[in-house]
Amino acid sequence: MHKEEFHLKFFTCVIQSRGLVRTPQSTGGEASTSSMLIQKPPPEIDNMKYLHATDDPDTVEGIPILKTEWIMTHEEHHAAKTLGIGKAIAVLTSGGDAQGMNAAVRAVVRVGIFTGARVFFVHEGYQGLVDGGDNIREATWESVSMMLQLGGTVIGSARCKDFREREGRLRAAHNLVKRGITNLCVIGGDGSLTGADTFRSEWSDLLSDLQKAGKITAEEATKSSYLNIVGLVGSIDNDFCGTDMTIGTDSALHRIIEIVDAITTTAQSHQRTFVLEVMGRHCGYLALVTSLSCGADWVFIPECPPDDDWEEHLCRRLSETRTRGSRLNIIIVAEGAIDKTGKPITSEDIKNLVVKRLGYDTRVTVLGHVQRGGTPSAFDRILGSRMGVEAVMALLEGTPDTPACVVSLSGNQAVRLPLMECVQMTKDVTKAMNDRKFDEAMKLRGRSFMNNWEVYKLLAHVRPPVSKSSIHTVAVMNVGAPAAGMNAAVRSTVRIGLIQGNRVLVVHDGFEGLAKGQIEEAGWSYVGGWTGQGGSKLGTKRTLPKKSFEQISANITKFNIQGLVIIGGFEAYTGGLELMEGRKLFDELCIPFVVIPATVSNNVPGSDFSVGADTALNTICTTCDRIKQSAAGTKRRVFIIETMGGYCGYLATMAGLAAGADAAYIFEEPFTIRDLQANVEHLVHKMKTTVKRGLVLRNEKCNENYTTDFIFNLYSEEGKGIFDSRKNVLGHMQQGGSPTPFDRNFATKMGAKAMNWMSGKIKESYRNGRIFANTPDSGCVLGMRKRALVFQPVTELKEQTDFDHRIPKEQWWLKLRPILKILAKYEIDLDTSEHAHLEHISRKRSGEASI
């Protein structure tokens, strides 16, 4: 599953900065708080007061589960900071490395220390656990500094044959007992996590053998009577069942797309066909999302082998693309691609086929381990940090009866799942493929994987009808400020519309262009190559429609527009509201419309995410990384960075988490001069440590008086003789650049979903030979709510909107802010009020549909 379906976008509150008890808030697509039951907790949980449980089952990867959340009282919040006193945690990375592992290690270390626990690095994975000695070293707060932006794993990873043998596990147990370590956090794939579970199940016997051999005392054995295990899944393949996204997958997609974009330019120059092989021996996720993100002509994945006549179909598809005017072809191949008999389909096989049958100049590029390298994306940094926090809490709350668990993400929520149940489900996928039960393998991969596959098939394998008579006429437009991914949304909308037999018009320059008649018909090739292009090819303006209703109505009639797809930010949403009001005066405005949120500010009501926000976030992170390097070189320097977003603090907060900022000032969390003073004092203290640098983010409209200049001057004055201050206003660079894989994939799926809805709504609104839509549900915002794409009437969203400040009244990401403060070493209360506890996977019954 891709990241848009669980939101980091996306996380439930683990900690709250204020000591208030809060019940979970419904954000659409899930059971509301009114459907929650209050039950008494089991007797062994004596520090919890209430259990909230939804009465409807939810799913993880299509598998029904029941989510629970323990609610703690205000007095018990303070206990979290002493939860780890007298305990020790070891963290190791095992198996293949993945970008974002360092973020997880950093979070485990810092939150562990925050709770009073001792935390140890285990270098070189399980091999270091077996060998002991200097491979197991105590970590400090400063030892994980500057680790967040590094790829790979700085504590090392290694394949370990010794740990597979009982003798090796005996040595590992001895090394842990001697250091008083009874909590182990393992970051790796299913093989690494299976090894951890075996280690835990043998723990009592291992201690008994060590005591008999005289290697440990009876007192040591008693103190280490049980071992807690928590797993975090680090794998670029996203091949682990039970979690929406594994650490490293998004970064691997970044590497792949960077290469695809580079190859596209040379392929166009020489009219070449390129066959790109990506990783994924048993999982086609990388290949599938890459194909959607670059508009590939074909993709081969192991879960869904092509039909028997695929060679003929492929060649026909490539030649049709060239006939439409394209100068290149892109074919994506997962390294584990097979045909229906199980025979491997290699990159060379495909190249030889294309050269032999079509005579195209064809080249093969095998990406290999470049996909594992490089800087982690903003998403993987936040994912690793978020999971590291949850892992520490799971370990410290563990009991001898708690099974080894894996920290997983389901939508916005962190869930703990029994480790071996998830491992078994992962093995079931591989078994289904080995048994040639490919439909079952696809279902086991989950709903998002299947949705990606369906959209890909529509765009790549279905030919638009040749008939010149169109079913309906739909117009597409951009409104508001430019955002990366807008063009991908337009492309998807246009092509899905054409496939459905519709006439698709594009409107230039937003509502202003609609009023002036700047409208033209778009064919298949019109949007060719748009997926990877930033900005807005159609042009976009902030003009609202109210002042031009008469001209807009005239053009709707002139061009016979029967539906409108509006891609944009807050102006697109408010424009939709004005169109609804205008229906009372102009019947021509009584046509269905849908708003696709696209803005770097991520401030459109009705959606947890907007197209373009992920690209802007990564741009900010890249800049902050470079600034931190500069500060690290000069020493004793603090940078104040101003981000965009209007009154919405999403970019400042999430960039602060991803870049390791010391503070992030936002409008939604009011601050005073005392807060500024506390931040300065914090940085003064920090300069006395080995980490002699600071990074502070400020949302552009967080406070009309405490401007960027004011804060810069304050820091400069108060830091005299201790640190220097510098400021940077990032400005419109945050709106530019090529869209990230997430924004491309998200926009493509949103466009397809919007056009499918539009076709159905036009048919539903057809009366007396014309389209007449005047119901509230005929004007909607298509938004991401937790894991679901949902259509919400714009009129119903008015109550959820702060129009003065152009933001939703409730924003999910505010619950992540305390994590930023804890990781920056601020003394705040750790509130586990919406903290996830262990759930069980219920196996899907045969024939049961995915939810």
Side-chain angles (χ1 to χ4, degrees):
M1 299 226 163
H2 202 45
K3 63 189 175 190
E4 75 269 13
E5 308 214 3
F6 60 87
H7 308 290
L8 276 164
K9 358 150 175 154
F10 346 154
F11 304 124
T12 304
C13 171
V14 186
I15 43 185
Q16 295 282 357
S17 59
R18 298 174 178 86
L20 301 175
V21 177
R22 298 184 181 182
T23 56
Q25 297 294 315
S26 171
T27 53
E30 299 276 339
S32 66
T33 44
S34 63
S35 69
M36 292 186 174
L37 308 174
I38 295 181
Q39 305 170 358
K40 289 184 179 180
E44 63 269 18
I45 307 296
D46 58 2
N47 66 327
M48 302 297 180
K49 296 302 181 190
Y50 299 104
L51 169 66
H52 276 256
T54 57
D55 49 9
D56 292 320
D58 206 337
T59 62
V60 173
E61 293 287 358
I63 306 161
I65 65 167
L66 184 67
K67 292 178 183 172
T68 62
E69 295 164 317
W70 293 100
I71 306 301
M72 297 177 68
T73 64
H74 171 63
E75 291 75 15
E76 291 161 338
H77 293 170
H78 302 284
K81 287 196 287 187
T82 58
L83 192 63
I85 292 177
K87 298 180 181 179
I89 301 169
V91 57
L92 65 86
T93 53
S94 178
D97 64 307
Q99 307 96 318
M101 280 183 166
N102 291 325
V105 171
R106 171 180 177 267
V108 169
V109 169
R110 290 195 168 177
V111 176
I113 293 172
F114 175 88
T115 62
R118 298 175 68 198
V119 186
F120 292 82
F121 292 133
V122 179
H123 292 268
E124 312 309 332
Y126 284 121
Q127 192 64 56
L129 201 62
V130 172
D131 294 342
D134 287 341
N135 289 305
I136 305 176
R137 305 175 203 165
E138 187 163 0
T140 65
W141 194 277
E142 288 81 13
S143 63
V144 292
S145 182
M146 289 298 282
M147 181 186 285
L148 192 60
Q149 65 266 36
L150 299 178
T153 165
V154 297
I155 60 174
S157 180
R159 311 284 181 184
C160 179
K161 293 182 180 179
D162 292 340
F163 195 75
R164 296 176 185 175
E165 304 297 329
R166 195 175 190 282
E167 178 59 33
R169 294 193 289 274
L170 194 67
R171 290 165 59 192
H174 177 257
N175 290 326
L176 291 181
V177 171
K178 284 297 182 182
R179 291 167 176 81
I181 299 170
T182 57
N183 299 281
L184 184 62
C185 178
V186 178
I187 307 170
D190 59 341
S192 302
L193 301 185
T194 302
D197 187 72
T198 302
F199 189 38
R200 185 183 192 275
S201 64
E202 294 179 347
W203 185 255
S204 296
D205 293 338
L206 294 173
L207 293 191
S208 178
D209 289 355
L210 288 171
Q211 192 175 346
K212 288 177 183 177
K215 293 185 178 180
I216 64 172
T217 66
E219 183 181 359
E220 288 174 328
T222 302
K223 285 183 178 179
S224 304
S225 59
Y226 66 91
L227 177 69
N228 288 321
I229 295 284
V230 171
L232 303 183
V233 189
S235 168
I236 67 168
D237 294 335
N238 201 30
D239 56 355
F240 192 82
C241 290
T243 188
D244 288 349
M245 199 74 161
T246 58
I247 296 170
T249 303
D250 188 65
S251 300
L253 285 169
H254 274 251
R255 299 295 90 75
I256 296 169
I257 291 300
E258 287 167 8
I259 293 166
V260 172
D261 286 349
I263 281 176
T264 297
T265 57
T266 183
Q268 285 177 329
S269 300
H270 298 278
Q271 298 190 62
R272 283 182 175 144
T273 294
F274 268 87
V275 182
L276 281 85
E277 183 180 303
V278 301
M279 285 186 170
R281 193 172 302 125
H282 302 294
C283 181
Y285 183 86
L286 289 178
L288 179 55
V289 175
T290 298
S291 69
L292 281 174
S293 300
C294 71
D297 296 286
W298 200 282
V299 64
F300 293 90
I301 61 173
E303 291 90 345
C304 193
D307 295 331
D308 293 337
D309 62 343
W310 67 267
E311 294 96 337
E312 185 66 33
H313 190 180
L314 171 62
C315 292
R316 184 173 68 246
R317 167 70 182 168
L318 298 181
S319 60
E320 285 174 354
T321 302
R322 293 292 179 99
T323 302
R324 294 192 192 108
S326 175
R327 292 177 58 86
L328 77 158
N329 298 111
I330 299 291
I331 301 168
I332 308 295
V333 187
E335 62 178 328
I338 54 175
D339 63 19
K340 290 199 170 181
T341 66
K343 179 185 175 183
I345 298 176
T346 68
S347 302
E348 286 297 328
D349 291 339
I350 298 166
K351 173 192 172 182
N352 294 334
L353 171 71
V354 174
V355 170
K356 181 178 178 181
R357 295 204 184 181
L358 298 176
Y360 293 166
D361 185 0
T362 305
R363 305 296 169 92
V364 171
T365 299
V366 179
L367 271 60
H369 282 74
V370 69
Q371 297 161 86
R372 291 192 184 277
T375 301
S377 66
F379 173 79
D380 274 329
R381 299 184 197 192
I382 300 172
L383 175 61
S385 300
R386 173 65 182 83
M387 294 296 92
V389 172
E390 183 66 27
V392 171
M393 302 312 298
L395 285 169
L396 298 182
E397 293 168 3
T399 69
D401 299 323
T402 307
C405 72
V406 60
V407 175
S408 174
L409 279 177
S410 176
N412 286 13
Q413 293 181 312
V415 294
R416 302 177 194 171
L417 300 175
L419 191 153
M420 291 313 296
E421 291 183 25
C422 294
V423 169
Q424 186 56 51
M425 289 299 298
T426 304
K427 290 179 178 177
D428 288 347
V429 179
T430 304
K431 185 177 184 301
M433 289 191 288
N434 291 337
D435 294 342
R436 311 289 178 261
K437 296 178 181 178
F438 298 110
D439 289 341
E440 182 180 340
M442 288 287 283
K443 288 179 181 177
L444 288 170
R445 284 284 181 225
R447 182 178 59 183
S448 179
F449 192 96
M450 293 183 69
N451 287 344
N452 283 331
W453 179 250
E454 292 303 321
V455 173
Y456 155 73
K457 284 198 300 182
L458 269 178
L459 291 172
H461 288 214
V462 178
R463 286 180 286 181
V466 294
S467 172
K468 293 185 178 180
S469 59
S470 301
I471 301 174
H472 306 297
T473 300
V474 180
V476 187
M477 62 195 295
N478 294 157
V479 175
M486 276 184 164
N487 296 323
V490 172
R491 171 187 175 270
S492 174
T493 304
V494 168
R495 290 195 169 177
I496 295 295
L498 294 173
I499 287 169
Q500 293 173 345
N502 297 319
R503 174 172 170 251
V504 184
L505 306 176
V506 291
V507 182
H508 296 273
D509 297 335
F511 285 117
E512 184 178 310
L514 186 59
K516 292 181 178 179
Q518 297 170 215
I519 303 167
E520 62 178 317
E521 186 170 350
W524 188 272
S525 300
Y526 186 93
V527 291
W530 280 28
T531 307
Q533 297 190 31
S536 169
K537 297 275 285 183
L538 295 182
T540 180
K541 292 190 176 181
R542 297 179 183 271
T543 310
L544 294 174
K546 192 171 185 177
K547 295 180 180 179
S548 307
F549 276 161
E550 192 170 334
Q551 298 95 315
I552 288 173
S553 298
N555 282 321
I556 286 175
T557 301
K558 177 181 177 181
F559 290 92
N560 191 32
I561 296 172
Q562 298 169 313
L564 194 60
V565 178
I566 308 169
I567 303 166
F570 200 85
E571 291 84 2
Y573 163 66
T574 52
L577 284 171
E578 289 188 3
L579 290 177
M580 293 296 284
E581 287 294 318
R583 289 178 175 182
K584 299 173 184 176
L585 302 173
F586 297 90
D587 284 351
E588 293 86 350
L589 299 180
C590 293
I591 59 173
F593 70 84
V594 59
V595 175
I596 297 176
T599 168
V600 301
S601 301
N602 196 32
N603 64 336
V604 178
S607 187
D608 292 342
F609 273 91
S610 298
V611 172
D614 188 67
T615 302
L617 183 58
N618 277 277
T619 300
I620 297 169
C621 283
T622 300
T623 305
C624 287
D625 287 348
R626 294 174 180 176
I627 285 171
K628 283 175 70 177
Q629 282 185 332
S630 170
T634 53
K635 302 284 193 297
R636 299 184 183 277
R637 182 162 288 178
V638 175
F639 279 86
I640 294 100
I641 312 296
E642 181 183 299
T643 67
M644 293 180 84
Y647 288 98
C648 182
Y650 173 83
L651 287 179
T653 296
M654 302 305 273
L657 269 172
D662 294 282
Y665 301 121
I666 63 170
F667 169 78
E668 293 91 344
E669 191 175 280
F671 57 96
T672 66
I673 193 67
R674 293 181 185 85
D675 297 309
L676 293 173
Q677 181 183 359
N679 294 146
V680 172
E681 290 172 355
H682 173 79
L683 286 166
V684 168
H685 178 74
K686 186 178 181 181
M687 296 301 161
K688 297 175 183 177
T689 70
T690 58
V691 186
K692 302 181 186 300
R693 63 184 174 279
L695 180 68
V696 176
L697 299 181
R698 179 190 177 274
N699 170 242
E700 59 182 346
K701 291 187 177 181
C702 65
N703 189 297
E704 63 180 343
N705 296 313
Y706 299 144
T707 63
T708 301
D709 286 336
F710 177 92
I711 294 174
F712 166 71
N713 291 332
L714 175 69
Y715 275 56
S716 297
E717 180 64 27
E718 296 298 319
K720 274 185 179 178
I722 302 170
F723 60 79
D724 296 330
S725 297
R726 297 289 187 273
K727 64 179 177 179
N728 285 77
V729 178
L730 300 186
H732 283 74
M733 67 180 291
Q734 296 161 84
Q735 289 182 347
S738 178
T740 59
F742 166 72
D743 277 331
R744 299 184 194 198
N745 187 31
F746 186 39
T748 298
K749 291 201 287 189
M750 292 280 270
K753 186 90 171 178
M755 186 54 81
N756 286 332
W757 176 89
M758 181 62 69
S759 295
K761 193 58 68 174
I762 290 175
K763 292 176 184 176
E764 184 184 306
S765 306
Y766 193 80
R767 301 169 192 165
N768 302 321
R770 57 164 291 193
I771 304 299
F772 187 80
N774 63 349
T775 57
D777 66 351
S778 61
C780 289
V781 170
L782 171 56
M784 171 60 68
R785 290 292 207 183
K786 294 190 176 179
R787 299 184 70 189
L789 290 175
V790 293
F791 293 92
Q792 301 150 97
V794 291
T795 51
E796 291 182 7
L797 293 171
K798 287 177 71 173
E799 293 182 0
Q800 304 174 26
T801 307
D802 176 354
F803 286 98
D804 291 338
H805 301 103
R806 296 161 52 91
I807 56 174
K809 291 179 180 177
E810 292 187 10
Q811 301 182 85
W812 65 269
W813 52 265
L814 285 170
K815 298 174 181 179
L816 299 181
R817 285 186 58 80
I819 299 178
L820 187 158
K821 296 176 184 178
I822 287 175
L823 294 177
K825 209 174 183 178
Y826 282 90
E827 290 295 324
I828 69 169
D829 288 340
L830 180 62
D831 175 0
T832 57
S833 64
E834 291 186 22
H835 186 61
H837 282 251
L838 185 65
E839 303 305 333
H840 289 278
I841 293 178
S842 298
R843 291 285 308 220
K844 284 180 62 179
R845 294 184 297 273
S846 177
E848 183 180 7
S850 293
I851 296 175

